[in-house]
Each structure stands twice: as C-alpha cells, then as structure tokens.
Amino acid sequence: MDISDYRAEVAANRREHGFEAVDGRTDEFDRLWTARETDDTVGEVVVLATLVEADGADAETLLDAAAAFRDVLTDTVDPRPGRADGGEAPTPVGYVTLATPDPDASLLDAMSGFTVAKRRTNVFPLVYDTEAERLHRHEVPRLKGRGIYRRQAIDAERLFDL
C-alpha cells in the first residue's frame, strides 16, 4: 500500500472513532490525534496517537520516536495522580506508529521490547508494514497489566489496522 493511501485511511479511521486533531504541532510529529474516553478496565484515559512515515526505519529510529512521543504525551496530558481541582487524573496512553515497507526483525524486536509504562505514561510503538499491509502491535500478556494492553489492541485496530 502506498504510504499516502495508508495515511488517508488512518485519518478516516480517527475521524470515524472520535479522535480529534491536535492543533499544536511539534517538531517531531506532523499529525497528532487525541481522544478522551472511559475504559471499563483502565478507567478514564486520554489517548494521543501519531503516524510517522519511516521508510527504511531501524530499531534506533523507533526507539527515538517512541521516547520523543512520550515527552509529547507527558506535555499534553497531566500525569499527576490527582489534579488541583480534586479530580482524578486520566491514564495517558500514546501510540506512535511507524509506517515502513518490509520492517526487519530488529525493528520488530525493538517494538516488542520497548518499556511501555514509564513516568506514569503508557507509550506503545507500533509498526505498519506498508508492503505486506500488516500492523505489528504488542501482544496482550497472560497475567499482570492486561487491561492497558487490551486497550492497546483495540485502539490499534480502530486506528491503524486496515
């Protein structure tokens, strides 16, 4: 699939599922989308998502993009346990999807091995293989932490899997 076609499909998905475009641009990411929802397992979440065109991406590209996206997520969502107004802070969840043709095994290993939960945020790097038209996402673990990973599987399917 051509990257521009994939980008258009993702944009249509985000509109269909209630993700709003974030007006403020960042140096690292051209497009940002957000949604605030209540999840039965996780509670209130604020989701931030982006798509990165990364032709020929390697593991370092993915790790750098995910770390930069965590910074954007932290700046966008208040990660404190409780807000000044006494309300509960939402769980910040972020998805940075690299779209690249024929990703190699080291890129997929870096995605799977990335530390998702850090600094009270959850960032999931995903890889979309534009050649095979396949989304690679994190597997849902059998034990602890399943809720956030289930959420990731659902969001990944809604936004990035065609």
Side-chain angles (χ1 to χ4, degrees), residues 112-124:
S112 297
F114 183 76
T115 302
V116 170
K118 189 174 181 183
R119 296 188 303 179
R120 297 191 177 158
T121 62
N122 298 280
V123 172
F124 291 91

Side-chain angles (χ1 to χ4, degrees), residues 33-131:
W33 308 295
T34 190
R36 184 179 208 106
E37 300 174 341
T38 301
D39 184 284
D40 292 340
T41 305
V42 181
E44 188 176 350
V45 295
V46 173
V47 178
L48 190 66
T50 192
L51 173 63
V52 176
E53 298 170 28
D55 192 12
D58 59 10
E60 186 176 340
T61 303
L62 179 128
L63 296 174
D64 289 346
F69 195 70
R70 188 179 308 277
D71 291 340
V72 172
L73 180 63
T74 301
D75 290 344
T76 305
V77 180
D78 185 358
R80 295 174 298 174
R83 298 187 311 236
D85 65 4
E88 290 295 317
T91 300
V93 180
Y95 305 106
V96 57
T97 301
L98 272 67
T100 187
D102 194 27
D104 66 22
S106 67
L107 178 61
L108 299 178
D109 288 343
M111 180 202 77
S112 297
F114 183 76
T115 302
V116 170
K118 189 174 181 183
R119 296 188 303 179
R120 297 191 177 158
T121 62
N122 298 280
V123 172
F124 291 91
L126 309 171
V127 176
Y128 185 80
D129 182 344
T130 57
E131 195 171 290

